[in-house]
Amino acid sequence: MSVMFVLLPVALIFAGCALAVFLWAVRAGQFDDLETPSVRILHDDD
Amino acid sequence: MSTAEAAAGRPLPGPGAAEDTGANAAACAHCGLAAPLASIEAGAPRQFCCEGCRAVWAILHEHGLERYYALRAGGAPAPAPVADRLYAELDDAGFQGRSCRPAPGGLLATDLYLEGVHCGACVWLVEKLPGLLPGVAEARLDLPRSQAHVVWDPRVLSLSAVARRLASLGYTPHPCRGQAAQAARRREDRAMLGRIGVAGAVAANVMAIAFALYGGMLDGMEPEFATFFRWLSLVLTAPSLVWSGGVFFRSAWVALRAGTLGMDLPISIGLLVGFVHGVVNTVRGSGEVYFETVSTLIFLLLFGRYLQRRQQRAAGDAAELAASLYPTSARLVEGDGVREVALDALIPGARVEVRAGDLVPADGVIVAGRSTLDLSLLTGESAPRGVRPGDRVHAGTLNLASRLEVEVERTGEETRVGRLMMLMEEHARRRAPIAQLADRISGRFVATVLTLAAITVAIWWRVDPARAFDHAAALLIVTCPCALGLATPLAVSAAIGRAARAGFLIKGGDVLEALTRPGRMWLDKTGTLTAGRAELARWHGDPAVRSLVAAAEAHSAHPLARAFGRALGVPSPGVRLEIAETHGGGIEASVDGRRLVVGSPAFVRGRAGESPAAIASAVDALIADGLTPVLVAVDGEVRAAAGFGDALRPDAGAALDHVRALGWRPGILSGDDPRIARAAGARLGLEEEACRGGVTPEDKLQAVLAARAEGPVVMVGDGVNDAAALAAATVGVAVAGGAEAALTAADVFVVRSGVGRLAELLDGARHTMRVVRRNLVFSLGYNVIGVTLAMTGVLNPLLAAILMPLSSLTVILSSYRARTFTAPAPAGSVAAAPIPAEGAR
């Protein structure tokens, strides 16, 4: 069971990576406008 | 692609546009509205309703962008305005310094507010700009804000060229106002999202660890694992508490120093006690820890707050950007030429040209030209006023008829409209915020919870001193008002979101609460209760001469002539007509050989002699009712009298009845003649003393301030003359169709013009508050359960972790299941639709 002492920090590192990606997306402004991308995605001609 | 081609070749008409115009009517190839008979070209493959639409269609066709018509299927745009401005003010160094930012590679970037964007096809077309115009590197459209982000190469082309191209596509660009504030809000939003991300990640992981601890609670766990899990939870919760939860501590502290108890105080107490208690027990190695509850609380509370702010922000942004529509340039007359200059660059003594349809840019004196001005936005006067050289004109009035040249006397903040704006801003700043229901409860809530905690300690001290503080801490954590803190934000954000889809932009939750406490309601008349333009209200005399009048008036741009056109319809073709219009008084014409004189009583008397007794008494009756009389003489004999007035909107009566039924006391504040205000009030069933006419904008402000001393005041208006009163009222409601200044001053903006939907707004507000109260009852119920469990010593972390999310979930469901602002519009409200194209009837 002492594998817990290793596995848990590893899992937390994964979680930390996901959080870092989210924070990057927020800073890059990907959450500023949540409406326009939903119509932009329908334009598939180019 | 087949549907696209079909739609490009044979565009779908707009909703209900072409059906009722008969078989020979043609739909405009660009906007889909029926093309007027006058602009139809026989044999042409495509018809257009106006030159603006023709130009846009040609550009799209030339660049192979017909796909636009397929993409926008369903929502048809308004007819495109003719693009004839140069936008020279955008190339001004001062403007570029303020509003443009450098982009990599020597490029420049700026934001432009676009008129007329409404759907996905507009996004597609605007973002095709780099292909249409070499030198534009990027164009991104933010649809909800109608804001285009443009990156261009200043070495290749100027910003004014970009603006001209956007205008030629039918999207009139305007420099954005309030960009600094918008950027600040955007930064705040991003910081908030970051906090939510951290709090969410922490909550999920701490909860996962807590499940292991719960398992240990039931089946037993080796102590070294329990210790490890607790320390790990502690380390994870700390950043969430300090960084994400810091928002609550700061605002609780600010409120405390101001001497008030906000909702953030009980939240802060609960979070701090929960965390400190957990740290103590982790270090001691015994007792309960509530880290998972603390971290979940932070996440849920922040999320609720973010949702609420996002909805309110959308309404605020929309109103602020609408202010960008105010003209930023003027047409300066220099020698023989006319040059566009930035409004800021105008100086007293300059000479400007004001074309028909333009707003007067500054206060000044007319030096050349005669025209008719619409003063309704500035003063509330409904009757258009004729002006001639030597007359004084004010900025913000609309030139209706023909070109004027004006010598500028005062500009910017020194104009009458500028002074009104400053008055408005002053009152908007001074207004005290409305304490929300949840905040008013929170003081009592804190006192109750602290008393209960003290009682718990006192009782348990005698039974088991070691556990007395554990139980008191458990009580404080479980009563940390998660559901209470979410109850208002969630109900309000859900309601504001649905209200926005129903056409109400609401700038704050406190507004909805204030709208449920009835008091005085002042309404502007011109443009709000009425359509804001003259209509033929009465006709006395021979109906046979109507067709002659229709034929003669069809060729005049005078507002009364247009009202004749709307009431009498389009003349039958093939009439022989000779016109000799006399400005300001009336029109003289020969129609099918008969001599026709239509105009003011003085004008007609001078050309056709005295009226018969019946007509003369009819004119007196018209004047007594506040209508503008117009006489009609045929072959030298006065045959009819017409009365013009600014008619009440058809749905105004029903709306005011509903408003009164809810307990409000409505009244009219109008800049129009007192007789007209009283006549309108009488038809709406208002008492005479509640209908004040002839009031200046300053009087309106005083009336609102006086009424505020007695209770809540709602001001409903649409013009610059209402702006200060809107800002000073408890709640200001601006209706569409008026001045953009009114939007920034108001707390609620109704997207459709008129008061027809006022009742819907008040009902929606009442419904929202019912949901808020229901939520508060739910969360207080959960708190009673939690307190009972904690005081009896039964509560453990597992129970707390179940109780907390359950209470939040109840509140979330209750908020989003509510059907606020989804009631169908009342039947009468369809009548005030925008002016239809009546030309083709």
Side-chain angles (χ1 to χ4, degrees):
Chain A
M1 273 301 273
S2 47
V3 69
M4 273 292 193
F5 294 112
V6 180
L7 281 184
L8 217 51
V10 169
L12 287 177
I13 288 170
F14 278 126
C17 292
L19 183 62
V21 170
F22 174 74
L23 290 179
W24 166 80
V26 168
R27 298 234 163 92
Q30 296 200 12
F31 293 88
D32 288 351
D33 173 14
L34 298 178
E35 248 173 80
T36 317
S38 70
V39 291
R40 193 177 283 137
I41 200 160
L42 300 173
H43 309 149
D44 53 359
D45 57 340
D46 46 9
Chain B
M1 222 21 227
S2 64
T3 47
E5 279 159 11
R10 186 173 42 79
L12 300 164
E19 284 94 334
D20 55 350
T21 49
N24 55 353
C28 171
H30 176 65
C31 72
L33 292 177
L37 289 171
S39 61
I40 287 184
E41 292 172 41
R46 287 183 186 82
Q47 304 296 345
F48 297 93
C49 70
C50 58
E51 282 311 304
C53 285
R54 182 189 298 278
V56 175
W57 191 90
I59 291 167
L60 294 187
H61 197 69
E62 181 191 335
H63 292 88
L65 295 173
E66 294 94 337
R67 190 152 177 261
Y68 167 79
Y69 294 105
L71 287 170
R72 75 139 195 244
V82 176
D84 58 352
R85 275 195 49 201
L86 295 173
Y87 298 98
E89 80 271 15
L90 295 183
D91 294 335
D92 178 65
F95 168 80
Q96 297 212 339
R98 278 194 307 277
S99 309
C100 301
R101 296 172 300 281
L107 306 180
L108 283 172
T110 195
D111 289 313
L112 294 170
Y113 178 70
L114 300 188
E115 256 182 276
V117 292
H118 54 85
C119 69
C122 300
V123 177
W124 180 81
L125 186 52
V126 168
E127 295 185 353
K128 280 273 175 286
L129 202 60
L132 275 172
L133 201 59
V136 177
E138 192 194 345
R140 302 281 284 179
L141 183 66
D142 181 331
L143 191 58
R145 294 184 182 82
S146 299
Q147 206 173 343
H149 180 75
V150 184
V151 182
W152 80 101
D153 190 341
R155 287 156 298 192
V156 179
L157 81 177
S158 62
L159 182 56
S160 61
V162 179
R164 280 196 297 275
R165 176 53 72 158
L166 280 167
S168 72
L169 292 174
Y171 306 116
T172 308
H174 302 270
C176 286
R177 298 265 165 109
Q179 278 198 300
Q182 208 187 336
R185 281 197 301 255
R186 183 169 289 175
R187 271 197 303 279
E188 218 176 289
D189 255 2
R190 289 180 183 176
M192 188 80 163
L193 263 181
R195 287 200 181 93
I196 291 173
V198 170
V202 165
N205 286 290
V206 173
M207 191 56 89
I209 295 169
F211 274 117
L213 284 170
Y214 301 151
M217 221 158 59
L218 301 174
D219 305 333
M221 179 188 272
E222 285 154 61
E224 80 238 39
F225 280 120
T227 313
F228 174 58
F229 286 152
R230 287 169 162 216
W231 276 103
L232 208 56
S233 308
L234 168 63
V235 169
L236 282 175
T237 309
S240 170
L241 183 86
V242 173
W243 193 52
S244 304
V247 181
F248 302 111
F249 303 136
R250 265 195 297 278
S251 92
W253 178 241
V254 168
L256 264 185
R257 281 210 314 202
T260 55
L261 301 168
M263 204 67 225
D264 287 335
L265 186 64
I267 291 173
S268 300
I269 293 176
L271 292 179
L272 274 180
V273 169
F275 187 73
V276 171
H277 176 255
V279 171
V280 169
N281 281 353
T282 304
V283 173
R284 282 200 314 164
S286 72
E288 317 285 18
V289 294
Y290 291 94
F291 289 128
E292 72 281 12
T293 305
V294 168
S295 52
T296 314
L297 275 177
I298 297 173
F299 172 65
L300 285 174
L301 285 167
L302 278 178
F303 196 64
R305 227 158 259 208
Y306 174 74
L307 282 183
Q308 182 180 17
R309 278 222 321 221
R310 188 159 192 116
Q311 298 289 4
Q312 297 180 356
R313 172 140 321 160
D317 277 354
E320 209 159 274
L321 283 169
S324 312
L325 291 175
Y326 193 77
T328 50
S329 70
R331 297 173 62 81
L332 189 68
V333 181
E334 282 176 330
D336 295 335
V338 175
R339 188 164 68 90
E340 267 179 40
V341 293
L343 208 51
D344 309 337
L346 270 191
I347 46 162
R351 211 178 241 228
V352 291
E353 176 194 60
V354 185
R355 294 174 302 174
D358 282 354
L359 285 172
V360 177
D363 286 5
V365 174
I366 297 178
V367 286
R370 289 173 165 216
S371 182
T372 317
L373 291 185
D374 179 352
L375 309 177
S376 60
L377 288 182
L378 186 63
T379 66
E381 283 168 67
S382 56
R385 183 187 288 174
V387 288
R388 58 181 66 207
D391 283 351
R392 182 146 284 146
V393 292
H394 290 291
T397 52
L398 181 66
N399 182 9
L400 292 172
S402 55
R403 181 182 177 279
L404 292 173
E405 258 181 50
V406 175
E407 190 175 306
V408 175
E409 286 184 335
R410 275 190 289 272
T411 60
E413 294 182 343
E414 291 172 6
T415 59
R416 175 142 178 75
V417 64
R419 287 200 305 275
L420 287 176
M421 289 297 93
M422 276 159 65
L423 203 60
M424 175 202 99
E425 277 163 24
E426 189 186 320
H427 281 273
R429 262 203 311 276
R430 242 198 255 161
R431 191 164 57 168
I434 310 164
Q436 286 187 251
L437 183 58
D439 283 331
R440 289 201 304 274
I441 292 180
S442 64
R444 263 172 283 169
F445 187 83
V446 172
T448 314
V449 166
L450 290 179
T451 315
L452 286 174
I455 293 173
T456 311
V457 171
I459 293 175
W460 280 92
W461 194 258
R462 296 185 197 160
V463 184
D464 181 2
R467 295 171 60 196
F469 285 105
D470 268 357
H471 291 325
L475 183 142
L476 287 175
I477 297 159
V478 81
T479 53
C480 175
C482 178
L484 207 56
L486 281 174
T488 315
L490 282 184
V492 165
S493 72
I496 290 181
R498 271 193 297 266
R501 283 192 287 278
F504 301 100
L505 300 177
I506 298 169
K507 290 189 202 159
D510 49 350
V511 171
L512 286 171
E513 201 173 322
L515 282 175
T516 59
R517 284 193 289 275
R520 176 57 94 176
M521 179 180 284
W522 285 120
L523 297 130
D524 168 52
K525 185 186 74 71
T526 312
T528 304
L529 288 171
T530 68
R533 58 174 187 185
E535 295 291 351
L536 180 59
R538 239 177 287 167
W539 177 276
H540 288 282
D542 190 356
V545 299
R546 285 178 175 215
S547 61
L548 302 179
V549 174
E553 297 285 353
H555 293 265
S556 169
H558 191 275
L560 292 188
R562 293 204 184 146
F564 263 128
R566 284 192 295 274
L568 305 179
V570 171
S572 41
V575 176
R576 283 183 293 113
L577 185 70
E578 279 170 51
I579 301 254
E581 183 169 348
T582 310
H583 219 102
I587 192 168
E588 206 175 345
S590 157
V591 186
D592 276 343
R594 304 180 72 180
R595 200 168 70 83
L596 183 75
V597 182
V598 185
S600 67
F603 178 84
V604 175
R605 192 181 302 124
R607 286 162 182 79
E610 288 302 320
S611 315
I615 300 284
S617 66
V619 168
D620 291 341
L622 291 175
I623 293 172
D625 285 348
L627 298 176
T628 307
V630 168
L631 291 180
V632 180
V634 180
D635 293 333
E637 187 187 338
V638 180
R639 300 281 288 274
F644 286 89
D646 185 14
L648 287 174
R649 292 177 187 270
D651 50 358
L656 282 199
D657 285 344
H658 194 105
V659 163
R660 263 195 301 260
L662 292 175
W664 292 86
R665 288 175 293 123
I668 295 178
L669 288 179
S670 176
D672 226 339
D673 191 280
R675 282 175 304 180
I676 301 176
R678 275 201 297 275
R683 250 169 297 155
L684 294 169
L686 304 177
E687 311 108 56
E688 205 170 295
E689 64 269 26
C691 304
R692 302 195 201 156
V695 285
T696 63
E698 289 81 4
D699 292 341
K700 288 195 181 194
L701 176 63
Q702 287 311 319
V704 164
L705 291 175
R708 275 213 79 168
E710 295 161 22
V713 191
V714 168
M715 172 79 203
V716 188
D718 73 328
V720 174
N721 59 333
D722 305 313
L726 285 170
T730 321
V731 177
V733 180
V735 296
E740 290 73 34
L743 308 191
T744 27
D747 306 293
V748 182
F749 170 48
V750 187
V751 175
R752 269 252 320 280
S753 52
V755 291
R757 301 191 64 198
L758 212 52
E760 215 183 309
L761 175 67
L762 295 177
D763 283 343
R766 283 159 58 91
H767 194 206
T768 308
M769 287 317 289
R770 270 206 298 278
V771 176
V772 166
R773 267 183 230 115
R774 187 170 74 197
N775 285 354
L776 290 175
V777 167
F778 275 135
S779 62
L780 288 175
Y782 276 107
N783 272 321
V784 169
I785 299 173
V787 165
T788 318
L789 291 177
M791 288 183 81
T792 50
V794 186
L795 190 76
N796 59 41
L798 179 56
L799 270 177
I802 293 171
L803 213 54
M804 269 305 163
L806 200 63
S807 65
S808 307
L809 202 64
T810 318
V811 171
I812 292 170
L813 280 180
S814 152
S815 302
Y816 283 91
R817 293 282 305 150
R819 310 242 53 85
T820 319
F821 284 111
T822 46
S829 65
V830 190
I835 316 146
E838 285 180 318
R841 196 183 312 148

